[in-house]
Amino acid sequence: MQQAVGIIAEYNPFHNGHLYHLKEAQKTGLPVIAVMSGTIMQRGEPAFWNKWLRARIAVMNGIDLILELPAAFSLRSAEFFAQGAVAILQATGCVKYLACGAENPNYDFKTIARITLSSKFKHQLQLGLKTGLTYAAAYSSAIEELSDKKIHLNMPNDILALEYCKALENTSISPIFIQRQQTGYNESSICGSIASATAIRAAFLEQRITQVQTALPPIVWQKLSEYHKAAAGYNEQLLWQLIKYRLAMLGTEEIADSCQCSEGLENLIKEAVRCSSLSEALQCCTKKRYPTARIRRLFLQLLLQKPRHYFEQKVPAYFRVLAFSSTGRQILKVIKAQNELPIITKLGNNPYSMQSTSLKEQLELDIASSNLSALLRMPPQVYGSDFLTSPYYYDTSDTSAG
């Protein structure tokens, strides 16, 4: 049976740090399957470039198969983001390892994961919250208390590595930890060949072209310049106007029924209708226990206009193929033979016929997310890309492909 190593990513965009991570994963000698967020990012905002271009670039840089992480999982907390992506890798039936980037790869994430899944941990976490600690601080404190080690889980990739290990507990996949290179996840400046995606996006919008080129593999810059260059980013003011309209139309109970609010957060969300910008609304809603990314996710959940249970799916209902190489084509044959989940390449006129309720709901969210993103592009893009676009095939035997 074909075996592979898995990667979970967003590639927004694919940069030199991602290339390093991929090269380290390829040292296993196995082909690489990446589960990639589609149109909506886990931090609660539309992707900077559309999923088709990002998948195309990733496969041209060495990924063998790109499968989409449905918005039902990408637009949720790190825990469910990880669970959804790992479930897709496990369902392929051929992934042996998951290559996890981490700021502190020396941490014993597997042991920490088991601690956090225990009843003792949940009790210790609640004690910390009752003392007034933020959730993140209470979480780290509980881990230190039960492990007797100084472990500071306040870095984004370390947090994701832990969530991946929790999700891997009852699977056949083993984690591999790879040192994150140089810059931090939210670092805003570009000082060398390795830079955060946040810094790259900012530099791209500000037309600091030389810096952007320095931080990207050559083929990435070539394709970003060649395809959809004018459609990078999204119109934040238009996004806020749409959110504000939804907030004005909904009562607090309707807000609670339409997104993953808790502890009366719908009341705070409703108050944001008085704000004049998205940044002001985020500042007003971000409290001690509510990080900005969570508020962003709630706003987008409201904007997608689906019932709350759409965002509380248990497991992914399909494999959505975005791009694949010659090797990836062979892996797809293996996956199809496993018959774990239906494989979606291109949507027909009636993609929901004879399918499960969970598939219908997850696919509805993906289509709505793509259409929202198309509206927010600069200039706006054509609706229906999920119906109009086929997966990109990269023939690795043809050096002129692209």
Side-chain angles (χ1 to χ4, degrees):
M1 181 184 295
Q2 176 78 59
Q3 289 189 320
V5 57
I7 288 176
I8 299 169
E10 295 195 308
Y11 296 148
N12 192 37
F14 189 100
H15 53 63
N16 287 333
H18 293 134
L19 184 61
Y20 172 83
H21 181 252
L22 170 59
K23 296 299 184 185
E24 291 296 301
Q26 288 174 329
K27 289 181 180 180
T28 61
L30 300 174
V32 181
I33 299 174
V35 176
M36 186 187 81
S37 297
T39 306
I40 302 294
M41 303 293 96
Q42 197 270 332
R43 65 187 293 169
E45 62 182 3
F48 201 73
W49 283 277
N50 73 55
K51 63 188 179 185
W52 305 105
L53 177 58
R54 287 166 30 241
R56 180 190 188 104
I57 286 171
V59 82
M60 293 181 76
N61 276 277
I63 303 291
D64 292 296
L65 174 62
I66 308 285
L67 300 174
E68 180 176 1
L69 178 64
F73 299 92
S74 69
L75 194 53
R76 290 167 75 182
S77 68
E79 177 183 2
F80 297 101
F81 174 92
Q83 287 181 8
V86 167
I88 289 175
L89 293 175
Q90 175 70 3
T92 65
C94 59
V95 174
K96 185 176 183 180
Y97 303 110
L98 172 61
C100 310
E103 287 87 0
N104 294 283
N106 56 309
Y107 283 177
D108 187 354
F109 288 104
K110 293 176 71 173
T111 297
I112 299 170
R114 295 189 183 103
I115 288 173
T116 62
L117 292 170
S118 68
S119 57
K120 287 184 178 180
F121 175 80
K122 294 175 183 177
H123 175 71
Q124 196 67 36
L125 175 63
Q126 289 303 315
L127 290 178
L129 291 173
K130 288 178 181 179
T131 65
L133 292 176
T134 64
Y135 184 85
Y139 200 91
S140 290
S141 176
I143 290 172
E144 289 187 19
E145 182 69 26
L146 296 176
S147 65
D148 295 324
K149 294 180 180 178
K150 286 291 182 183
I151 298 172
H152 300 288
L153 284 171
N154 57 358
M155 302 297 287
N157 287 275
D158 284 347
I159 292 169
L160 277 174
L162 174 59
E163 293 300 339
Y164 294 150
C165 284
K166 288 164 62 177
L168 291 171
E169 269 294 287
N170 296 312
T171 72
S172 59
I173 303 172
S174 300
I176 300 172
F177 303 105
I178 297 171
Q179 175 72 59
R180 179 179 173 83
Q181 295 299 294
Q182 297 180 20
T183 60
Y185 178 79
N186 287 313
E187 178 62 49
S188 58
S189 61
I190 298 178
C191 300
S193 62
I194 302 290
S196 71
T198 300
I200 293 168
R201 293 192 297 268
F204 189 92
L205 289 177
E206 294 166 9
Q207 291 295 296
R208 290 183 274 123
I209 302 305
T210 302
Q211 289 187 11
V212 174
Q213 288 180 279
T214 299
L216 300 178
I219 197 169
V220 176
W221 174 249
Q222 176 190 337
K223 294 304 173 186
L224 291 181
S225 300
E226 185 178 341
Y227 299 100
H228 303 280
K229 185 173 181 180
Y234 60 92
N235 187 329
E236 184 175 294
Q237 185 56 32
L238 176 57
L239 173 61
W240 170 241
Q241 290 172 353
L242 294 173
I243 293 170
K244 187 168 183 174
Y245 173 77
R246 282 289 286 161
L247 293 176
M249 296 296 292
L250 298 175
T252 53
E253 290 186 5
E254 292 172 307
I255 290 174
D257 290 339
S258 303
C259 69
Q260 293 182 296
C261 288
S262 62
E263 303 171 327
L265 184 52
E266 61 271 16
N267 297 299
L268 189 61
I269 293 291
K270 177 64 177 178
E271 291 177 9
V273 74
R274 303 173 184 173
C275 299
S276 59
S277 67
L278 180 57
S279 58
E280 182 185 347
L282 291 171
Q283 186 175 8
C284 290
C285 293
T286 300
K287 302 294 183 180
K288 196 171 185 181
R289 290 183 61 182
Y290 304 132
T292 301
R294 182 181 181 188
I295 303 300
R296 281 185 174 275
R297 289 193 293 269
L298 295 180
F299 281 159
L300 283 188
Q301 287 179 2
L302 289 174
L303 204 50
L304 291 172
Q305 301 189 52
K306 301 297 181 184
R308 177 173 177 150
H309 74 267
Y310 273 57
F311 303 101
E312 296 176 339
Q313 305 279 335
K314 299 297 183 184
V315 292
Y318 48 83
F319 298 116
R320 183 75 191 274
V321 181
L322 298 180
F324 58 99
S325 68
S326 303
T327 301
R329 172 182 279 175
Q330 299 304 314
I331 295 173
L332 280 171
K333 292 179 180 178
V334 175
I335 294 174
K336 188 174 183 179
Q338 304 296 322
N339 202 30
E340 285 281 337
L341 296 174
I343 298 175
I344 298 175
T345 51
K346 191 171 182 179
L347 301 181
N349 292 329
N350 187 10
Y352 312 125
S353 63
M354 304 298 290
Q355 299 291 353
S356 67
T357 299
S358 58
L359 184 146
K360 177 179 180 294
E361 292 176 350
Q362 290 177 32
L363 201 51
E364 281 182 0
L365 268 182
D366 286 346
I367 293 169
S369 298
S370 292
N371 288 339
L372 172 63
S373 178
L375 175 65
L376 295 171
R377 293 287 173 201
M378 301 178 290
Q381 304 297 292
V382 177
Y383 262 36
S385 66
D386 279 305
F387 291 91
L388 302 172
T389 312
S390 298
Y392 174 69
Y393 170 57
Y394 184 53
D395 186 352
T396 49
S397 65
D398 181 5
T399 56
S400 65

